[in-house]
Amino acid sequence: MNFEAIKVIYSAEMRRTRNTLLQSIASPVISTCLYFVVFGSAIGSRIESVGGVSYGAFIVPGLMMLSLLTQSISNASFGIFFPKFTGTVYEVLSAPISFFEVIVGYVGAAATKSLIIGVIILITASFFVDLRIAHPFWMLAFLLMTCVAFSLFGFIIGLWADNFEKLQLVPLLVITPLVFLGGTFYSIDMLPPLWQKISLLNPLLYLISGFRWSFYEVADVNVGLSLMMTAGFLIGCLIVVWLMFRSGYKLKQ
Amino acid sequence: MKASDTSAETGVNAIVQVRGLSKTYDNGHQALKNIDLDIREGEILALLGPNGAGKTTLISIICGLVNASGGTVLVGGYDHVKQYRKSRELIGLVPQELALGAFELVENTVALSRGLFGKSKNPEFIQQLLENLSLGDKATSPVNRLSGGMKRRVLIAKALSHEPRVLFLDEPTAGVDVELRKDMWAVIDELRADGVTIILTTHYIEEAEAIADRVGVINAGEILVIEDKQVLMDKLGKKQLVIELREAIKTIPAELEEFNLQLCEVGNTLTYTYDIRAERTGITRLLNDVQNAGLTLKDISTSQSSLEDIFVNLVKADA
């Protein structure tokens, strides 16, 4: 195992975060705070509680997920896309490193950044709403799995993308709509029956529901199913990345 | 001369052994055709060839950047696929493009390269390496503030940061001015003195002529010839004897026909091309016959073909 390589990739990625602190951390935190102000305080104060939870508090897990997913994807995809774009990826490809070590370095750093953002948002949210975490262990488990799984997903996008437009395509046109329609701002109980059934096809619903359950024990779907979906997505991403590295997809000709 | 004529040596003292290497890209382009090559430890090997000859593909496969379609590569005796860790540890690569993280500090980017090869931090070594490459005072400068020549040196520092035994330089002086090119040659010479095996691809003949021990000519995915530079020049080089006449003539006299002389347009210069390896060059007989033909000599001079002439002739013959 080339631990030194993992360490330097991880450190270089974290250094990039430090060098772009405003963009990397402050920006998502400010955006989330704005959501709290608008949906939590301004509009939320006029909405009834959902499942016994005040609306402001109800949206906290969903908003955390929104940030975690978009940040995990963006951090990891940019982390590998940029070396491809500038040509510096040759260093990684010609070094004595296995695909697993490359993943641990890049995805580990992206997941760490997302985790930091998630914790900051959680702390920020506590200033706006009355928060309680019913199952801290499961909250942490969902948080970690989400960060890692979507960082892996971002890594796949970064490997696949060969221009900046493609890099933004999936996060903007797929992930963001799915998060918004996956119960970030509402419970699917509020939807007409047909839309409730359609919503069950949205994989992110399971993630948000499970994460919300760890806070308030309120869930749209069975928590076990949520865990399975999250773990399944993580394993699926890992397999795809492994296949991409093995074949040299968009990395080696 | 085809690859089969230039079959690799026995492999003794070869730090890199390439056997039957071929590469066909997805678009059907066959970049390498059954290449055999031995690179001797401690030498400077220059791979010459026109654009698209397969030079970069060859070193990219050895370094792990491109997958081969067939054949094997051993570096230090290690298979470059099955034992890629051991094999790659021995290799340093300076790519053709100035591929560097623009906002990284010089010392950080060099340290990153060292770490990727599993070597623990060694700031003293890196500082010394930068000093050796005249970058000592640039250690804490961001890469994007360096000149093109300095960036090229940073790439060399990165490639040497893990103390490799083999260094691949892919067109190290492409687009570099003459002065900087000579500086680069000096750096390469120092590396050789340190025992590093150097393989450089170039299409600057003068570069190969100036610094290489051996020269390989590659064209259309085949190695046309690989030989010690001097031997190659002796073997394939032609020498010319230029005879300047006191009075111009219109045609070459019949008694001089067997020498295949060339008469210049003005008619006052005869050029005789001969093989320097031949036991009898025919010069004495020619000079006698010139006098017997009633021609008066004004001056004589000789010139030897350069590596460039050899290269052009080989590639032309292969076309």
Side-chain angles (χ1 to χ4, degrees):
Chain A
M1 192 85 166
N2 189 344
F3 289 107
E4 202 60 40
I6 296 173
K7 203 167 88 182
V8 290
I9 293 174
Y10 183 88
S11 306
E13 283 299 292
M14 294 309 287
R15 195 163 54 235
R16 191 163 60 81
T17 306
R18 281 197 299 276
N19 293 343
T20 54
L21 213 57
L22 263 181
Q23 183 201 328
S24 301
I25 293 185
S27 164
V29 171
I30 289 169
S31 309
T32 313
C33 287
L34 290 173
Y35 277 119
F36 281 129
V37 171
V38 175
F39 294 101
S41 302
I43 299 174
S45 58
R46 294 164 189 245
I47 299 175
E48 287 178 23
S49 63
V50 185
V53 181
S54 73
Y55 185 71
F58 179 84
I59 64 170
V60 172
L63 283 177
M64 278 181 73
M65 276 292 159
L66 177 66
S67 279
L68 287 184
L69 299 189
T70 50
Q71 286 303 311
S72 297
I73 291 172
S74 137
N75 289 332
S77 61
F78 195 76
I80 188 67
F81 174 78
F82 199 63
K84 271 174 55 187
F85 180 72
T86 57
T88 53
V89 75
Y90 84 89
E91 269 202 287
V92 175
L93 297 177
S94 61
I97 320 174
S98 70
F99 102 94
F100 184 71
E101 289 151 4
V102 174
I103 300 286
V104 174
Y106 279 107
V107 172
T112 306
K113 284 184 239 176
S114 304
L115 203 61
I116 293 169
I117 290 169
V119 171
I120 293 174
I121 291 172
L122 193 65
I123 294 167
T124 312
S126 66
F127 292 115
F128 292 93
V129 292
D130 187 21
L131 269 182
R132 65 185 171 88
I133 301 169
H135 302 284
F137 172 78
W138 288 113
M139 192 276 281
L140 205 61
F142 271 110
L143 198 66
L144 276 173
M145 280 204 295
T146 305
C147 289
V148 175
F150 280 84
S151 293
L152 275 169
F153 187 58
F155 196 79
I156 293 169
I157 293 171
L159 285 174
W160 164 76
D162 37 31
N163 57 46
F164 281 97
E165 192 187 5
K166 275 189 178 175
L167 198 64
Q168 295 297 326
L169 206 67
V170 177
L172 285 179
L173 297 183
V174 180
I175 299 299
T176 307
L178 285 182
V179 178
F180 273 80
L181 298 173
T184 301
F185 295 105
Y186 56 85
S187 162
I188 59 166
D189 289 344
M190 296 169 166
L191 300 174
L194 176 68
W195 283 104
Q196 283 187 29
K197 283 183 182 150
I198 292 173
S199 291
L200 291 174
L201 298 174
N202 180 354
L204 297 189
L205 170 80
Y206 299 84
L207 205 67
I208 295 167
S209 170
F211 194 50
R212 183 171 285 133
W213 171 84
S214 70
F215 279 78
Y216 311 120
E217 295 180 302
V218 174
D220 285 324
V221 288
N222 181 284
V223 70
L225 200 58
S226 291
L227 259 179
M228 274 170 58
M229 287 289 277
T230 314
F233 185 68
L234 194 153
I235 293 165
C237 287
L238 208 54
I239 292 170
V240 172
V241 176
W242 175 66
L243 289 173
M244 285 172 114
F245 261 82
R246 206 176 66 155
S247 65
Y249 178 78
K250 299 250 177 139
L251 283 172
K252 290 185 185 185
Q253 291 175 302
Chain B
M1 205 180 293
K2 299 288 172 188
S4 56
D5 303 322
T6 61
S7 56
E9 298 157 2
T10 54
V12 179
N13 294 329
I15 192 155
V16 179
Q17 289 180 41
V18 177
R19 293 289 179 273
L21 198 67
S22 60
K23 173 65 187 176
T24 305
Y25 286 105
D26 291 342
N27 61 9
H29 171 63
Q30 198 174 0
L32 293 180
K33 299 167 188 167
N34 203 31
I35 296 268
D36 287 341
L37 172 67
D38 278 337
I39 299 167
R40 300 169 189 160
E41 184 148 26
E43 74 170 340
I44 298 181
L45 172 68
L47 282 173
L48 284 170
N51 288 332
K55 307 184 295 288
T56 299
T57 300
L58 175 61
I59 66 169
S60 296
I61 290 176
I62 298 172
C63 295
L65 302 179
V66 171
N67 292 325
S69 305
T72 57
V73 176
L74 298 182
V75 182
Y78 300 110
D79 185 283
H80 85 308
V81 176
K82 291 178 192 148
Q83 297 163 294
Y84 72 94
R85 286 190 196 266
K86 289 280 185 192
S87 151
R88 291 183 194 173
E89 275 171 13
L90 302 175
I91 297 175
L93 168 66
V94 180
Q96 200 176 128
E97 306 294 331
L98 288 175
L100 285 162
F103 307 108
E104 285 277 354
L105 303 184
V106 170
E107 60 185 5
N108 284 348
T109 193
V110 177
L112 169 76
S113 302
R114 183 176 170 84
L116 286 175
F117 282 79
K119 296 256 180 174
S120 55
K121 274 186 181 176
N122 190 340
E124 293 79 22
F125 172 78
I126 287 173
Q127 187 56 40
Q128 188 56 53
L129 182 61
L130 294 175
E131 298 281 353
N132 293 348
L133 290 162
S134 310
L135 287 168
D137 57 337
K138 301 291 175 192
T140 53
S141 299
V143 168
N144 60 358
R145 293 206 191 141
L146 303 182
S147 67
M150 284 177 180
K151 282 179 185 164
R152 189 73 68 182
R153 283 166 188 270
V154 173
L155 283 175
I156 295 178
K158 283 168 78 69
L160 293 172
S161 63
H162 62 284
E163 300 154 74
R165 283 168 61 194
V166 186
L167 181 67
F168 286 90
L169 295 148
D170 195 2
E171 302 200 7
T173 56
V176 168
D177 65 45
V178 178
E179 198 175 333
L180 213 55
R181 193 175 299 166
K182 287 189 176 161
D183 279 357
M184 202 65 77
W185 293 351
V187 169
I188 292 170
D189 214 37
E190 281 167 27
L191 292 173
R192 190 248 299 268
D194 289 342
V196 180
T197 305
I198 295 163
I199 299 93
L200 66 101
T201 69
T202 181
H203 48 240
Y204 296 124
I205 315 287
E206 68 195 72
E207 188 156 272
E209 204 162 355
I211 58 174
D213 298 314
R214 284 200 304 157
V215 176
V217 177
I218 184 167
N219 189 41
E222 292 177 293
I223 292 185
L224 303 180
V225 67
I226 184 158
E227 195 61 88
D228 283 349
K229 180 180 65 184
Q230 202 50 54
V231 175
L232 181 69
M233 289 180 70
D234 289 347
K235 197 189 280 185
L236 297 174
K238 289 172 181 170
K239 209 158 183 180
Q240 291 185 320
L241 176 74
V242 180
I243 303 166
E244 201 179 333
L245 304 172
R246 193 170 293 278
E247 287 165 14
I249 54 173
K250 285 184 181 168
T251 53
I252 297 171
E255 49 265 62
L256 298 178
E257 255 176 24
E258 63 170 304
F259 295 101
N260 289 324
L261 300 175
Q262 286 175 306
L263 181 65
C264 73
E265 275 184 28
V266 183
N268 64 345
T269 304
L270 290 168
T271 305
Y272 171 54
T273 306
Y274 60 97
D275 183 355
I276 49 173
R277 290 175 305 145
E279 217 165 277
R280 290 173 182 273
T281 57
I283 294 174
T284 314
R285 201 154 51 81
L286 169 67
L287 292 177
N288 281 335
D289 289 358
V290 166
Q291 278 194 319
N292 294 340
L295 306 176
T296 313
L297 303 182
K298 185 181 175 189
D299 195 9
I300 56 171
S301 62
T302 61
S303 67
Q304 186 164 4
S305 53
S306 67
L307 205 49
E308 181 159 5
D309 302 325
I310 298 167
F311 172 70
V312 169
N313 288 338
L314 277 169
V315 173
K316 256 191 202 166
D318 186 54

